Amino acid sequence: GHPRLRMRHAPYAVSPTMRDQWMLCMTTALTEQVNDESLRDNLVNTFTQMADHMVNTESEGGCPAHVG
């Protein structure tokens, strides 16, 4: 659920920019795949709240899992 999702992402830097990039990808995918506008809007709103909750830094450093 919601609290555990944040806990699982805690080792990774999630900045506002990363949130915005993820939301762009999700919104694009939903626009392409979900024809019901009401459902799509509800999903975008839910994902937006979740993405906002994932932000844990203002730093724009990269994700440590992908440094290599």
Side-chain angles (χ1 to χ4, degrees), residues 10-62:
Y12 310 102
V14 180
S15 70
T17 300
M18 294 168 116
R19 173 206 54 211
D20 294 346
Q21 291 170 346
W22 186 82
M23 279 304 304
L24 176 61
C25 292
M26 287 303 297
T27 302
T28 299
L30 290 168
T31 300
E32 292 174 358
Q33 299 297 318
V34 179
N35 293 324
D36 183 314
E37 186 175 352
S38 178
L39 174 59
R40 185 174 57 243
D41 289 345
N42 285 332
L43 289 169
V44 168
N45 288 334
T46 299
F47 283 132
T48 299
Q49 291 174 17
M50 181 190 64
D52 287 343
H53 186 66
M54 293 294 103
V55 174
N56 59 17
T57 185
E58 294 298 318
S59 170
E60 296 302 327

